[in-house]
Every structure is written in structure tokens, then in C-alpha cells.
Amino acid sequence: MELIFADEEETPSGHQKKVFKKPWCILLVDDDAEVHAVTRLALKGFEFQGSELELLSAYSAQAGREFFHSRDDIALAIVDVVMETDHAGLDLVHYVRNTLENHRTRLVMRTGQPGQAPEDRVIREYDIDDYKEKTDLTIQKLRTLLYSKLRAYRDLCIIEYQRDGLARVLDATSMVQNAESLTVFATAVLDQLTSLLNLDRSALYCIVLPNGDNGEHESKTIAATGDFVQYSTDTRFTDLPEIVSQRFTQVLEKRAAQHFDDAYVLYTAAKNGGCNLLYLKHARELGNMDRQLLEIYTQSVAITFDNINLQEELRETQKELVYTLADAVEARSKDSGAHVKRVALTSELLARLYGLPESQIVLIKTASPLHDIGKAAIPDTILHKPGKLDADEWTLMQQHAQFGLDILQRSNRPLMKLGAEIALSHHERWDGTGYPNGLAGTAIPVAGRITALTDVFDALGSRRSFKEPWSDEMVTDAIRQGRGTQFEPALVDLLLNNLDAFNAVRREFPDPD
Ligand code: C2E
Ligand code: SIN
Ligand code: SIN
Ligand code: FE
């Protein structure tokens, strides 16, 4: 809904604000032309909050309905009871409230024959806002009626406007759980905010980290729209346009929102001691209601940002930790870090094709690089042996599964727990002849079954100290051979039926020569 209310404040310079003013739309429904003429005369020159009236005349209930169809801004309808039928006016009221579900327009019955529709019954049974006898409505009474009904209509509209705004805040907030990244979320919220308020689409959202020892502000741009779109993520605000960084500095000093000629800068303190800055360019001045809504928005958004920051940080930390750990092991085993990345991505793909819930897919993607973490405990001489392992070496090598569990099971984090489960079970075989526990079929955890397949699929096509990479054909033949013996048949089918997607991951993250 657009803002239709004049802001009565004067700006300091004395100019009336340029706020879009619409006339108040009043509909008269009466089959007596005389009533229309008298009413128009009585309301001549009437103004409410600086806006005039737009009077619509309907000479039958049917014509009244048509106005309700074509206009959504009727503030007040004054409706005669007896027109086409004894109760045509009452039917119209029923139609507006119950069929059109319009509860906003104020409805006043005006009757010349009170006996036809007794006041008490009509007010009780119909959702109307007032009941007047034609003889009651002197000029002054009519004007008084208009003031009070327009006030009520205005308040209803404000409530609806804010309710819509709040609904958007809630929508945006619930979106966060699914947002891939802070930037995606922040940009979506900015877009909503600017469109809701009919602002210029140019806006920036920056996060300022707590002051370092040297008093310099560390900051980065999280979202940018409209004219600012080139200052995408991670731009420090000292690298933003001069006027913007000047204003940011001012707002940071005052620690409060500030209103400039052509922009509004909001300030919200963050939990970590830093703050968030929202820069909104605007082509018009903001009314009180806009500002109120902006406050509601930014408060909710700030809370959301705090949460998402935390989530993001946790996620990043975990990811870093996992890759660092896995890389360290990979580096020792002279495999490249690309192997763990490919296993992560192909495991994600396979988990999704298998139909696991999204939350589990993400966990498997993040935890699967940990499958060989236990190799950290295997001596270099075995790990780097160019040829075949002897029986003793092989016995020790097989223990990397158990070692992985030992390392990871100390943590209670879901990610680490799943990593432990994968480490322990990624060399089990569907037919029960794998190690370390000889589990078979679905007794092997699903994440282990998935990683078993993606690990071997990737290992076969890769160089090892003891082997050359196999050709694509040899790899797929081996996987097909393993269907139902080494690997779960359904997983093999999914991989082979989507081979292009799996091979694409290998091509995208190749081992260095
Ligand atoms: P990896 O190199 O990451 O291999 C993972 C899995 O891929 C292997 O698990 C196996 O199922 C499959 N795979 C890898 N290369 C070959 C191959 O040349 N032929 C066949 N048929 N399958 C292959 P697996 O067998 O349990 O081995 C676990 C780990 O033990 C391997 O991880 C590797 O680090 C080590 N390893 C296995 N065999 C040898 C070997 O002959 N020499 C050396 N130096 N290490 C070996
Ligand atoms: C209208 O726009 O006036 C009709 C529906 C409503 O918002 O209540
Ligand atoms: C009415 O329909 O007359 C009142 C309903 C409302 O306040 O939304
Ligand atoms: Fe392994």
C-alpha cells in the first residue's frame, strides 16, 4: 500500500514537505438524486489532514457494487437502505464485508424510512460503523461524521500498513535459516525495505567491527543495491564514495541515526561491540510513519544480522577447521587438497539425489572431508610407500578408520560426531566384508555408505604413490562391479545415472600436476 497521508510537520526551512497527497474517497449510494446534491453542497470545501474529498455518486446498490470493484481506496461509503429493494443497501453492506472481505472502508447507513430497517437490528446484524436517519444529518452533523470516520479509516490503514511491514520482517527473518550467505540475505532485505517504502533503490549495509587498538574502524560492505551495486561485498567504507564515508564517520561519532538531505543513515549497535550501518538514499523525505517502520525493520534486521553473523562465523570456523585438518593429512599423504573438496561436493550431490533432508545433506558435505583424518596416525613410510603394502603394513593402514573415530569422537558437535561416524564406517562394504567392523547393508550408517562410494570413485581416478590415475571408463567399470558387493546398489545407480554431474566436479577441482 502506498503512503497516502500527508505529513503535517513543517521542515526547519519552513517548506511544506513534498508528501504525496491523495483526496479522501467518499462514496454516496442513494437512489434519490436530491440527497446527492444536498450532500455535495454540505461537504463543499471539506478538508481533513490537508486533503480534499473525492465524492463518488452511485444511484443504486448495483452501481455502488461496481465502485467497490473498481476502487480500493474508498474511505467511507454512506449507503441508503431502500433502493432497488427494501434491503438493497443492507445487501450491499453484506457484500462489501463478506464477499469482498473489505473491512477497511467505513460504512454508514442512512435511511429515510427507519421503520423498514430498525436501527438496533441493523447495527447488530450488519457490520456497519454508524446508522443515521436522513433527518438527523444536518450539515454540521454530516461534517462531524466525516471527521470521525476518516480518522478511523486513517488509523485502520496505518495498522494495516504496519502489519504488512511486520509481516515482511517476519518473512525476511524466517528466510535467514535458508539463506546461503549473509550477503544474499542482506541484499534481499534491502530490496524489500526500499520497495516497501518506495525509496530510491540505492542502499548500502555495512558492518563495522569493534575498534582496534589504533582506533581505526574496520568495516565491510555486506549488501549494496541500486547506484551502490558496484561496491559489492567486503568494500571498506573508506573506499565508498566520499560523501557516504563522511556521513558514516559522522554517524559513528554520534552513535545515532542521522537524516541528511538525500539520505538516511541508520545506526544499530551490535552485540560484539561493533555496529551496523544502513545507508538509504531517498528521492523524497521520509514521513514519521516511514521512520517508525524503518526503526522496526532495522531493529529486527539487526537482531537477525547478529544471529546470522554468529551462524556464519560458526559455519566458517567449522569449515576452515575441517579443511585444515583434512589438508594437513592430505599433505602428508601427498594427495592434494582437491581430493577432500571433491569428496565433499560429490557426497553432497549423492546425498541430495538419495533424498536425504537438506540439513543432513549440508552436514554430510561438511563432514565427509574428515573421512581419512585417521591417516594422521599412520607412519610416513607406509603412507608414502610407492608400491604395494605388505600384510603388516596393511593391517596398520586399515586402522586409520578407528583412529579417525578416536580423534573425532572427543567432540560433541554434530559435525564432529558425523565426521567420526564417517571415518569409522567409510571402508565398510555392503556385502559385509569391509573393515573395521564387517557391517553389512543398512547397518552401515548412510553417511558412511555415501562416502565409501564417493571416496573410491575419486581415489580410482586420482594419482596415488602406488598407482596412476585410471581412465573414466575403468573407474565406472569398477564402480559398476562394486554394485551390491562393495557399494549400496541404489547409490551406484544414482551415481551412474548422473555421471556427468559427478565427473564435472572432478574436472572443476583437478589435482595439480
Ligand atoms: P586411498 O588411496 O584414498 O583409497 C581409498 C580407496 O579407494 C581404497 O580403500 C580402495 O577401496 C580404493 N582404491 C584406491 N586405489 C585403488 C586401486 O588401485 N585399486 C582398487 N581396486 N581400489 C583402489 P582401501 O583399499 O581400504 O585403502 C585405504 C587406503 O590405504 C588408501 O586410501 C591408501 O592410502 C592406502 N593403500 C591401499 N592400498 C595401497 C597400496 O597398495 N600401497 C600404498 N602405499 N597404500 C595403499
Ligand atoms: C480495500 O483495499 O479497501 C479492500 C480490502 C481491504 O484491504 O480490506
Ligand atoms: C469493521 O469491519 O467495521 C471493523 C473491522 C476492523 O476494525 O478491521
Ligand atoms: Fe580411507
Side-chain angles (χ1 to χ4, degrees):
M1 188 188 131
E2 70 217 294
L3 281 182
I4 53 170
F5 306 104
D7 192 326
E8 287 171 311
E9 274 176 64
E10 301 268 312
T11 55
S13 56
H15 295 300
Q16 187 73 31
K17 287 185 171 179
K18 273 193 300 180
V19 175
F20 182 43
K21 286 189 185 182
K22 263 183 83 174
W24 303 99
C25 178
I26 312 291
L27 173 64
L28 301 174
V29 189
D30 203 305
D31 56 357
D32 181 351
E34 176 80 13
V35 169
H36 289 268
V38 171
T39 306
R40 278 175 188 276
L41 202 64
L43 294 178
K44 210 170 163 63
F46 184 97
E47 273 194 16
F48 176 65
Q49 291 206 330
S51 292
E52 301 173 345
L53 302 181
E54 178 187 4
L55 286 167
L56 306 175
S57 283
Y59 295 93
S60 66
Q62 183 53 37
R65 278 185 194 215
E66 279 154 25
F67 275 118
F68 272 104
H69 274 287
S70 61
R71 302 283 300 236
D72 66 359
D73 62 343
I74 299 173
L76 167 67
I78 302 175
V79 182
D80 189 12
V81 176
V82 181
M83 289 175 286
E84 291 96 318
T85 64
D86 284 353
H87 44 78
L90 295 174
D91 293 346
L92 174 62
V93 164
H94 186 266
Y95 179 77
V96 168
R97 291 289 193 235
N98 299 90
T99 306
L100 296 181
E101 292 191 15
N102 174 346
H103 300 286
R104 197 193 305 163
T105 300
R106 302 296 81 199
L107 297 174
V108 175
M109 301 304 308
R110 181 161 61 166
T111 177
Q113 298 119 298
Q116 288 285 350
E119 176 166 352
D120 188 70
R121 182 175 74 79
V122 170
I123 277 277
R124 188 178 68 237
E125 292 177 8
Y126 291 85
D127 190 358
I128 59 170
D129 301 289
D130 218 331
Y131 180 100
K132 297 287 180 199
E133 288 178 27
K134 283 183 182 168
T135 49
D136 278 352
L137 280 182
T138 59
I139 291 179
Q140 188 50 53
K141 287 233 170 83
L142 185 63
R143 295 173 74 96
T144 303
L145 177 81
L146 250 78
Y147 285 121
S148 73
K149 296 308 166 205
L150 287 180
R151 221 166 259 142
Y153 176 75
R154 174 201 62 191
D155 292 345
L156 267 180
C157 288
I158 292 176
I159 289 165
E160 280 183 23
Y161 180 73
Q162 300 214 354
R163 189 197 54 203
D164 289 352
L166 284 172
R168 279 168 199 253
V169 172
L170 287 181
D171 278 355
T173 309
S174 67
M175 217 172 73
V176 177
Q177 271 88 52
N178 308 319
E180 261 298 300
S181 74
L182 189 55
T183 302
V184 171
F185 169 74
T187 309
V189 172
L190 269 195
D191 264 344
Q192 283 187 355
L193 195 59
T194 50
S195 91
L196 180 71
L197 298 180
N198 288 320
L199 295 174
D200 188 312
R201 284 297 175 96
S202 303
L204 274 173
Y205 199 101
C206 291
I207 287 184
V208 182
L209 302 173
N211 271 357
D213 292 340
N214 58 5
E216 293 275 301
H217 296 296
E218 264 257 37
S219 61
K220 58 181 183 172
T221 306
I222 296 299
T225 59
D227 291 352
F228 295 125
V229 83
Q230 78 215 73
Y231 302 100
S232 56
T233 50
D234 288 352
T235 310
R236 302 163 142 263
F237 74 62
T238 43
D239 299 328
L240 294 171
E242 173 108 13
I243 182 90
V244 175
S245 54
Q246 263 178 20
R247 286 169 172 178
F248 272 177
T249 309
Q250 246 176 289
V251 167
L252 277 175
E253 272 163 18
K254 293 204 169 165
R255 302 179 151 269
Q258 261 192 285
H259 200 196
F260 300 95
D261 287 346
D262 60 347
Y264 193 54
V265 183
L266 280 152
Y267 170 96
T268 41
K271 276 199 205 115
N272 64 3
C275 66
N276 303 326
L277 296 174
L278 178 61
Y279 191 99
L280 290 167
K281 248 195 195 178
H282 54 77
R284 62 174 178 86
E285 302 227 18
L286 296 172
N288 279 336
M289 215 160 60
D290 294 314
R291 279 183 234 178
Q292 233 182 57
L293 197 58
L294 270 178
E295 288 293 326
I296 296 172
Y297 252 109
T298 46
Q299 274 164 22
S300 314
V301 171
I303 291 168
T304 309
F305 267 112
D306 277 343
N307 284 336
I308 203 173
N309 275 334
L310 258 171
Q311 276 179 29
E312 181 91 347
E313 193 167 304
L314 260 178
R315 224 181 296 140
E316 283 302 311
T317 309
Q318 287 182 337
K319 213 162 91 187
E320 234 169 70
L321 189 70
V322 166
Y323 279 118
T324 310
L325 274 170
D327 270 0
V329 172
E330 289 291 321
R332 269 196 62 225
S333 66
K334 294 192 176 155
D335 298 338
S336 82
H339 171 66
V340 290
K341 186 164 269 165
R342 291 191 302 259
V343 169
L345 294 173
T346 50
S347 298
E348 176 189 26
L349 194 55
L350 196 52
R352 184 166 287 121
L353 290 168
Y354 198 65
L356 295 183
E358 194 60 32
S359 57
Q360 216 184 338
I361 294 171
V362 174
L363 266 184
I364 287 178
K365 174 191 182 184
T366 318
S368 56
L370 295 169
H371 66 277
D372 269 346
I373 209 79
K375 282 186 184 170
I378 305 297
D380 283 3
T381 47
I382 300 179
L383 213 51
H384 299 161
K385 182 169 176 174
K388 262 202 106 39
L389 302 176
D390 67 28
D392 288 345
E393 289 167 339
W394 180 234
T395 304
L396 189 59
M397 176 56 94
Q398 286 182 313
Q399 293 191 42
H400 80 278
Q402 180 65 45
F403 291 155
L405 175 77
D406 294 345
I407 292 168
L408 296 170
Q409 75 177 356
R410 285 172 227 162
S411 165
N412 256 328
R413 317 281 328 161
L415 175 66
M416 296 297 163
K417 282 174 119 161
L418 184 64
E421 184 179 273
I422 291 173
L424 184 68
S425 62
H426 76 285
H427 288 296
E428 298 290 358
R429 294 169 52 110
W430 185 254
D431 62 10
T433 63
Y435 63 91
N437 294 316
L439 300 179
T442 52
I444 309 164
V446 65
R449 287 166 4 228
I450 287 172
T451 311
L453 180 53
T454 54
D455 179 33
V456 174
F457 176 72
D458 198 74
L460 294 179
S462 306
R463 187 182 317 280
R464 290 288 187 267
S465 64
F466 56 95
K467 66 176 267 289
E468 287 301 303
W470 293 11
S471 70
D472 284 2
E473 223 184 312
M474 285 169 71
V475 173
T476 40
D477 280 350
I479 297 297
R480 202 174 284 119
Q481 286 269 310
R483 185 182 187 279
T485 52
Q486 191 169 2
F487 311 116
E488 177 177 352
L491 289 173
V492 171
D493 295 342
L494 290 171
L495 189 149
L496 294 176
N497 290 336
N498 297 277
L499 203 54
D500 288 349
F502 286 89
N503 280 327
V505 173
R506 288 172 54 202
R507 311 241 183 290
E508 197 178 342
F509 300 98
D511 288 321
D513 290 322

